[in-house]
Amino acid sequence: MVKQHEGAILPFIRVDPGASVPMFRQIQDQLRTAILKGHLPAGSRLPASRVLADELAMSRPTIVRVLENLKSEGYLETRQGSGTFVAKDLPRPLSRRRWLSAVGEETDGSAPRLSRIGDLSRQMSADIGRVEYRPFLPNHPAFERFPFAVWGKCWNAATRGGRAAGLGYGDPAGEAVLRQRIAEYLALHRRDPCDPEQIVITPGGHAAFALAAMVLANPGDKVWFEDPGPLTVYNLFRTLDLRICPVDVDTDGMDVASAAEQYPDARLAFTMPSRHHPLGVTLSPAGRQAMLDWAQQNRSWIIEDDYDSEFRYVGPPLPSMRSTDKHDRVIYVGTFSKALYPALRVGYLVLPPQLVGSFRNLAGLMSRSVTVETQLALAEFIGGGHFASHLRRMRDLYTLRRAAFVEAGRAALDGLARIDCPDSGMNALAWLEGGLDDAAVHRSARAAGIQCFPLSDYTVGAKRPSAIILGFSGVPADKMKFHFGKLAEAMRGSR
Amino acid sequence: MVKQHEGAILPFIRVDPGASVPMFRQIQDQLRTAILKGHLPAGSRLPASRVLADELAMSRPTIVRVLENLKSEGYLETRQGSGTFVAKDLPRPLSRRRWLSAVGEETDGSAPRLSRIGDLSRQMSADIGRVEYRPFLPNHPAFERFPFAVWGKCWNAATRGGRAAGLGYGDPAGEAVLRQRIAEYLALHRRDPCDPEQIVITPGGHAAFALAAMVLANPGDKVWFEDPGPLTVYNLFRTLDLRICPVDVDTDGMDVASAAEQYPDARLAFTMPSRHHPLGVTLSPAGRQAMLDWAQQNRSWIIEDDYDSEFRYVGPPLPSMRSTDKHDRVIYVGTFSKALYPALRVGYLVLPPQLVGSFRNLAGLMSRSVTVETQLALAEFIGGGHFASHLRRMRDLYTLRRAAFVEAGRAALDGLARIDCPDSGMNALAWLEGGLDDAAVHRSARAAGIQCFPLSDYTVGAKRPSAIILGFSGVPADKMKFHFGKLAEAMRGSR
C-alpha cells in the first residue's frame, strides 16, 4: 500500500539544494502541484512522514512541516489513526484544451461583443509592457547599483510605525507625505515649486497619461503627438480612441507652428520638451511659448512628459514647461521608473489647480489609491536624502558609461552607423549607413542577444532615415566594447 | 551674527524624543521646511554645528549628519572657511493664494474644458476613497491581527532573491507566480479552477471594475445594478458614462426576471451573487441561471463581485457564479482588500478566454503592471500557506466578534433597531424602528465617533425602510457593548 503511494509521489519531487527557494518549500510546491494536476488522486493515502523523510533524505521535522502546511491549505487531511490523505473533495484538475483553443473569439468563431475601446485593445500587440532586459535596452537604469539595503530599511521603517493606520484605503490623490516630498524635490531639482495639493500619485507614468486623456479628451478628439514618439503612449491614446495628429520633430523639437496650423482644434498636446524621446532634442523657448499660447487661446491642454530630464550631462537642468505656464494649461507628468526602477510603478501628475478635483476623483474611483506601503517607503527614501544622492550617483555613473559608449560605439560601428548621443537621458541614436535597415538590424541584433529599438517603430507618419535607439545607462563601461562588437556583427549580418 | 541666525532657526525646531521618527530626522525635516517656507532666507548663514548642538542639546555628530544630508539635498551649501549657508539659488516659496482660490474653475470663473468623463468626475464627491477607521466601519478587517512579521518576511524573501531581475516592468497581466497562486487558491477555496492565463492582476477591485466597464461597454450603454448597491461602484460606472439600470434586490437576491424584462439590451450586469452588499442576501440558483441565460442570449456580460464571500460562518462556501458559467459570459472579480487589507491595492479578474487579450492589453497600456514587489510578496504569502491560515484565523475571530456583536446589539438597540446579521461577510444591518431616519442616525453616530453607513446612501431608486450598515469584523468582542451604548445614545439623540 505505502509502497505504491511512494511510487505515486516521489517521481514528482525534485529537490535542488542549490536553489534560492528553501528545500521544504520546493517539496511543498511540488506536492501541491502534483495534487492539483491530479497526479495524486483525491483521497489517496500518503506514506508516513518517516518514510518520506528517508526517501527524500530530509529531516523528519521538515517533512512534518510540509505536511502541516499543506493540511492548513486544505490539500491534505488526516484521518484519526490512519494517516495523511489527499483531501477527498478536491476540484477536478483543469483541462487546458479550452484555454489553448482560445484566440480572442467566441466558441462559434465570432468576435466577442466589446466596446470601441475593447475592440481597439483587442487589436493591440500582446507584447505591450513586455521588456527584455538585454544590453543596450533603452531607458534601462543601472539596476545593479540600486541601493537595495537602504530601500529595504526605508520600507521597513515606513511600514513599522503606525502600521494598522496605514492598512486602510489611502488618500486617492496619494499619501500626503509623499506628495510633500515630491513637491520639495521638484522645487529644488526642477526649480518648479508647486503645492502638494496639486499632485496626484499614479501607478506609473502611463496611468498619468491615461487619466489625463480620459479627463480632458473625448473619444475622437485630436491630440498632437510628436513624430517620432514613444510607441506605448501612441498605443495608449489610440486605444482610448483619440485621434493622433503626428507633428514633425526637428532639432528645435516639435514643429509647433505647423501643428497649430494643421490641427488648431486639438484638445491635447503630448510633448517631451526638456528631452524628446527618442531623438533627444529639446523644444526651443519660442516653440514652448507658441504651444502655451495656442493652448491658452483654444482652451486646450498640454501634457508635459518630463520622464528622463533628471539625467543631464552638460550644463544645468532645463526649466520645465510647467514652470513658465502662466495660464494653467500644462499637466506635468513625472515618474520614478527611470530614476529608480520600473517595477516600483509610481508616477505623479502636477496639475493646474482647476483640474485637481476631476483627476483626484477619477483616480480615486478607478483604483482608490496606489499601494500605500510603497508610497510611504518612497517618501522615506526621498525625505532621508537617499533619492537625491542616488540620482547624483547615477548621473556620475551614466556620465562615465555615456563616454565609454560613445568611444566604443564610434570605433566599432565605423562605416556602419553614426552615433548621436544627446546631452541628457539614458539613450542615444545610431543613424545607420550604407543602406542598412533598422528593422532588419533590430531583428538580427536581437538574435545576437542585443536589445535595441528601430526608429521606424517610433515613427507615425513621415518615414525617417534608418536609426536604432541604444540605451547606455544599463551597460557597464567595460562591457561596451564587447557588446558593440556583437552589434556590429549583427549589423553586417542584417544585410 | 551667529546669535541672530540662532533666533531665526531655533523657533522652528521642536524635537520630540518620544516620537517614532528619529530625532536627527525631526531636525532635518523641520530645517528643510523652514527653508522651503522662506523662514530661513536663501544665502543666510547657519550657526556652527557646535552652537546648534548646544542649543538643541544634541550630539555634534548628529547635527553634522543633519547638515550633510541637507547639503546633499541642495538646501545648504558650504563656503570655504566661512561656514554653512542656506543655498543661494532656492526657488521662492510658493504662495498658497492661487491654490486656495481654486474651486475647479478657470481664473475667469468658467468651467475648465473637460471631456464628458472629466465633467462627470468633476461633479463627484471629493470624499471618494476617504474612509475613517472608526468602530462599526463596514468591511473593516481586524488590522491589529494582521501577521506583520510574516508579511515582512515574505516581502524581504520576495525582494531579496534575483532582485535586479524583479526591477523591470512586470507582466502586464500580473506576475506569473502570483497568478498561479491565485488559481490554486480559487481551485481549493472557491472550488473554481481556472488557468492562471485567465487571470489579470489589478490595483484593487475598483480597477478591475473600471477595466471591465471600459473593455465591455461604450458610453451610454446600460448596466444592471443591484439596488441597493455599493455607492463607489455606482459612482465609478456613472463617471465612466454608463447608464445605471437599478434592479430591485429581495431575499432571493437581484430580481433578474424584471431586469431582463425592463432592460433586455443592457451590455453589463453587475452582481454580488454569493453575498450581496449591503443586504447580505444570496442570489438564488434560479436567478443565477436566468442571468446566465440572458447574458448568453444577448451577448451581454456579467461582472461577478465576489468580494467578501471568503467569510462564511454557516455551512460550506457557496459556489461562485463563474463556476456554473458554461458560455463564458462571467467576468469574476476578487480582491485582497478585505481578506488582507485595502492599502495593499491588489485585486484580480478571472476572465473568459476570449476576453483575456483585450483586458491584458488595456491593463498594460493604462498602468503597465502592478507594483512587482507587492505581487511577489503576496505570492510568497499565499504559497507559504500564510494566506489560508490567516483566512482561517480571521474566520474564527469574526465568528466570535459576530456573536458578540449580535448579543450586545440586540440588548443595546432594543426598541431602536432590529439587528439583521447575514451568514457571511463582515457587516450586518440594523433596521431602524420608531421612525428613526438612517441619515440622521449616521450623522449623530459620526459625531459620537461611531462610523456606520445609512442604507439610503446605497439606494439608487426605490426608497427602502431606514437601516444602517454596521461592520463587526473590526471591533474587538469585549468592546461591542461599549460602542453599542454610544450608538444607542446617538440614535436617541438623532430624533
Side-chain angles (χ1 to χ4, degrees):
Chain A
M1 186 57 179
V2 167
K3 276 268 156 268
Q4 168 202 335
H5 284 289
E6 282 169 48
I9 297 163
L10 301 181
F12 306 111
I13 300 183
R14 305 250 173 289
V15 185
D16 169 8
S20 67
V21 186
M23 291 202 280
F24 87 91
R25 276 293 307 284
Q26 295 182 46
I27 300 174
Q28 187 173 316
D29 292 349
Q30 292 175 50
L31 263 176
R32 191 195 293 109
T33 309
I35 293 171
L36 278 170
K37 285 192 174 160
H39 296 152
L40 281 173
S44 57
R45 179 156 179 268
L46 264 65
S49 53
R50 169 187 40 73
V51 178
L52 280 170
D54 294 348
E55 290 285 337
L56 297 166
M58 308 282 296
S59 80
R60 189 156 173 218
T62 306
I63 297 298
V64 170
R65 178 179 178 190
V66 168
L67 298 181
E68 282 312 313
N69 289 345
L70 289 173
K71 265 179 227 164
S72 79
E73 292 178 39
Y75 291 87
L76 299 178
E77 56 196 22
T78 14
R79 291 185 213 139
Q80 213 37 271
S82 54
T84 306
F85 296 77
V86 177
K88 262 255 163 50
D89 164 34
L90 273 175
R92 249 190 274 85
L94 182 76
S95 122
R96 288 183 66 91
R97 187 194 47 68
R98 181 158 142 287
W99 166 252
L100 291 171
S101 71
V103 288
E105 292 173 351
E106 298 288 358
T107 39
D108 64 6
S110 64
R113 189 177 179 219
L114 306 175
S115 69
R116 166 101 179 127
I117 287 176
D119 277 325
L120 289 167
S121 46
R122 180 166 173 263
Q123 296 154 28
M124 274 294 149
S125 148
D127 292 342
I128 283 149
R130 292 194 191 277
V131 180
E132 288 167 330
Y133 286 87
R134 295 167 166 191
F136 296 137
L137 173 73
N139 297 324
H140 186 174
F143 289 162
E144 76 281 5
R145 299 301 187 88
F146 184 74
F148 295 118
V150 175
W151 176 247
K153 279 204 191 75
C154 290
W155 193 87
N156 289 321
T159 52
R160 204 184 305 105
R163 244 186 124 144
L167 296 184
Y169 289 106
D171 183 329
E175 297 305 288
V177 58
L178 178 57
R179 290 189 278 114
Q180 175 66 38
R181 293 291 172 251
I182 290 173
E184 292 167 3
Y185 164 75
L186 290 173
L188 268 162
H189 296 271
R190 294 301 278 128
R191 296 281 180 267
D192 185 11
C194 69
D195 189 303
E197 292 294 309
Q198 292 175 264
I199 295 177
V200 169
I201 308 290
T202 59
H206 259 242
F209 303 143
L211 265 184
M214 290 177 74
V215 169
L216 301 173
N218 288 312
D221 280 343
K222 297 190 187 122
V223 53
W224 292 3
F225 190 82
E226 287 160 334
D227 181 12
L231 179 67
T232 56
V233 180
Y234 176 90
N235 287 344
L236 170 64
F237 287 156
R238 228 187 58 199
T239 305
L240 292 177
D241 204 13
L242 302 191
R243 280 174 57 195
I244 308 272
C245 307
V247 183
D248 195 46
V249 178
D250 60 22
T251 51
D252 287 339
M254 185 193 249
D255 182 349
V256 176
S258 84
E261 192 187 321
Q262 286 184 72
Y263 321 107
D265 58 339
R267 274 284 186 111
L268 288 176
F270 177 82
T271 183
M272 296 165 282
S274 299
R275 201 246 178 236
H276 177 270
H277 183 64
L279 295 184
V281 297
T282 59
L283 181 57
S284 68
R288 290 168 175 235
Q289 197 49 58
M291 197 185 293
L292 288 166
D293 294 343
W294 163 79
Q296 162 67 1
Q297 281 152 25
N298 297 272
R299 305 183 64 213
S300 302
W301 306 100
I302 298 166
I303 302 175
E304 175 177 22
D305 179 7
D306 197 41
Y307 88 90
D308 66 357
S309 61
E310 277 103 355
F311 301 114
R312 186 154 190 84
Y313 310 106
V314 180
L318 300 176
S320 69
M321 201 156 160
R322 201 193 85 85
S323 64
T324 61
D325 171 24
K326 295 193 178 37
H327 300 292
D328 291 332
R329 310 312 297 175
V330 174
I331 291 88
Y332 177 96
V333 175
T335 177
F336 291 96
S337 295
K338 314 300 183 293
L340 297 178
Y341 56 89
L344 194 63
R345 306 318 304 132
V346 181
Y348 54 93
L349 294 139
V350 184
L351 295 159
Q354 74 273 26
L355 295 184
V356 170
S358 303
F359 276 77
R360 175 192 295 254
N361 288 336
L362 190 59
L365 282 167
M366 287 184 62
S367 66
R368 303 299 288 270
S369 66
V370 173
T371 307
V372 175
E373 290 171 332
T374 308
Q375 291 188 66
L376 297 177
L378 182 52
E380 183 78 18
F381 191 79
I382 301 173
H386 308 299
F387 183 59
S389 26
H390 179 62
L391 274 184
R392 213 170 37 258
R393 274 197 310 274
M394 289 307 103
R395 221 177 275 118
D396 297 347
L397 178 70
Y398 296 166
T399 304
L400 298 176
R401 291 186 170 184
R402 180 169 171 271
F405 172 91
V406 171
E407 190 192 349
R410 297 212 165 127
L413 303 188
D414 183 41
L416 293 164
R418 184 176 53 78
I419 297 275
D420 167 7
C421 200
D423 295 344
S424 66
M426 307 159 84
N427 313 312
L429 285 106
W431 297 97
L432 303 182
E433 296 168 341
L436 287 171
D437 172 68
D438 56 11
V441 167
H442 164 67
R443 277 190 304 275
S444 69
R446 192 165 170 202
I450 299 283
Q451 183 68 282
C452 62
F453 293 155
L455 181 58
S456 50
D457 271 5
Y458 293 77
T459 309
V460 182
K463 176 107 180 64
R464 292 196 163 248
S466 265
I468 53 173
I469 293 97
L470 298 168
F472 55 79
S473 50
V475 182
D478 60 2
K479 291 270 188 305
M480 294 288 180
K481 198 150 171 275
F482 173 72
H483 293 312
F484 266 119
K486 289 169 82 179
L487 178 58
E489 212 172 291
M491 284 183 171
R492 296 194 188 88
S494 76
R495 281 218 180 82
Chain B
M1 185 61 179
V2 168
K3 275 268 156 273
Q4 165 202 338
H5 284 288
E6 282 169 43
I9 297 164
L10 300 182
F12 305 111
I13 301 183
R14 304 250 174 290
V15 185
D16 169 9
S20 65
V21 185
M23 290 201 280
F24 87 91
R25 276 293 309 283
Q26 295 182 46
I27 300 173
Q28 187 173 314
D29 291 350
Q30 291 174 49
L31 263 176
R32 191 194 293 109
T33 309
I35 293 170
L36 278 169
K37 285 191 174 161
H39 297 153
L40 282 173
S44 57
R45 179 156 180 266
L46 264 65
S49 52
R50 169 187 40 71
V51 178
L52 280 171
D54 295 349
E55 290 286 337
L56 297 167
M58 306 286 293
S59 81
R60 187 155 176 223
T62 306
I63 297 298
V64 171
R65 178 178 177 190
V66 167
L67 299 179
E68 282 312 312
N69 289 346
L70 290 174
K71 266 178 225 165
S72 79
E73 293 178 37
Y75 290 87
L76 300 178
E77 56 197 22
T78 15
R79 289 184 214 138
Q80 214 35 272
S82 56
T84 307
F85 296 78
V86 176
K88 261 253 162 50
D89 164 31
L90 273 174
R92 251 188 275 87
L94 182 77
S95 123
R96 290 184 65 92
R97 184 193 48 69
R98 183 160 140 282
W99 165 252
L100 291 173
S101 71
V103 289
E105 291 173 352
E106 298 288 358
T107 39
D108 63 6
S110 64
R113 188 173 178 224
L114 305 175
S115 69
R116 166 99 177 127
I117 286 176
D119 276 326
L120 288 166
S121 46
R122 180 166 173 264
Q123 297 156 26
M124 274 295 149
S125 147
D127 292 339
I128 284 150
R130 291 193 191 279
V131 180
E132 288 167 332
Y133 287 86
R134 296 168 165 188
F136 296 138
L137 173 73
N139 296 322
H140 186 175
F143 288 162
E144 76 283 5
R145 299 299 187 89
F146 184 75
F148 296 119
V150 174
W151 176 246
K153 279 203 192 74
C154 291
W155 192 88
N156 290 319
T159 52
R160 204 186 304 103
R163 240 186 128 147
L167 295 185
Y169 290 105
D171 183 329
E175 296 305 287
V177 58
L178 178 57
R179 290 189 277 114
Q180 175 65 38
R181 293 292 171 251
I182 290 174
E184 292 168 2
Y185 164 74
L186 290 173
L188 267 162
H189 296 271
R190 294 301 280 130
R191 297 282 181 266
D192 185 12
C194 69
D195 190 303
E197 292 296 309
Q198 292 175 263
I199 295 177
V200 169
I201 308 290
T202 59
H206 259 243
F209 302 143
L211 265 183
M214 290 176 76
V215 169
L216 301 173
N218 288 311
D221 279 344
K222 296 191 187 125
V223 52
W224 293 2
F225 190 82
E226 286 160 336
D227 182 11
L231 179 68
T232 56
V233 181
Y234 176 91
N235 287 345
L236 170 65
F237 287 155
R238 227 187 58 199
T239 305
L240 293 177
D241 204 12
L242 302 191
R243 279 174 57 195
I244 308 271
C245 307
V247 183
D248 195 44
V249 178
D250 60 24
T251 50
D252 287 338
M254 185 192 250
D255 181 348
V256 177
S258 84
E261 193 187 320
Q262 286 184 72
Y263 322 105
D265 58 338
R267 275 284 187 112
L268 288 175
F270 177 82
T271 183
M272 296 164 283
S274 298
R275 199 232 179 251
H276 176 270
H277 182 64
L279 295 184
V281 297
T282 59
L283 181 56
S284 68
R288 290 167 176 236
Q289 197 48 56
M291 197 185 291
L292 289 165
D293 294 342
W294 163 80
Q296 163 64 1
Q297 282 151 25
N298 297 273
R299 306 183 64 212
S300 303
W301 305 100
I302 298 165
I303 302 176
E304 175 177 22
D305 180 6
D306 197 43
Y307 89 90
D308 65 358
S309 62
E310 277 102 356
F311 301 115
R312 185 153 191 85
Y313 311 104
V314 180
L318 300 177
S320 69
M321 202 155 157
R322 203 194 83 85
S323 64
T324 61
D325 172 24
K326 296 193 177 38
H327 299 291
D328 292 331
R329 310 314 295 175
V330 174
I331 291 88
Y332 177 96
V333 176
T335 177
F336 292 96
S337 295
K338 315 298 185 294
L340 296 179
Y341 55 89
L344 195 63
R345 306 315 308 134
V346 180
Y348 55 92
L349 294 139
V350 185
L351 295 159
Q354 73 274 26
L355 294 185
V356 171
S358 302
F359 276 77
R360 174 192 295 254
N361 289 335
L362 190 59
L365 283 167
M366 287 184 63
S367 67
R368 301 300 288 271
S369 64
V370 174
T371 306
V372 175
E373 290 172 330
T374 309
Q375 291 188 68
L376 296 177
L378 183 52
E380 183 77 17
F381 190 79
I382 301 173
H386 308 299
F387 183 58
S389 26
H390 179 61
L391 274 184
R392 214 174 33 260
R393 273 197 310 274
M394 290 306 103
R395 222 176 274 120
D396 297 346
L397 177 70
Y398 297 166
T399 304
L400 297 177
R401 289 185 170 184
R402 180 168 170 271
F405 172 91
V406 171
E407 189 191 349
R410 295 210 168 129
L413 303 189
D414 182 42
L416 294 164
R418 183 175 53 78
I419 297 274
D420 167 8
C421 200
D423 294 342
S424 66
M426 306 159 84
N427 313 312
L429 285 105
W431 297 96
L432 303 182
E433 296 168 341
L436 288 172
D437 173 70
D438 56 12
V441 167
H442 164 69
R443 276 191 304 275
S444 71
R446 193 165 170 203
I450 299 284
Q451 184 68 282
C452 62
F453 293 154
L455 181 58
S456 49
D457 271 6
Y458 293 77
T459 308
V460 183
K463 176 106 180 65
R464 289 194 164 252
S466 265
I468 53 172
I469 293 98
L470 298 167
F472 55 80
S473 51
V475 182
D478 60 1
K479 291 270 186 307
M480 293 287 179
K481 197 150 174 273
F482 173 73
H483 294 310
F484 266 119
K486 289 168 81 179
L487 178 58
E489 211 171 292
M491 284 183 171
R492 295 194 189 88
S494 76
R495 281 220 180 79

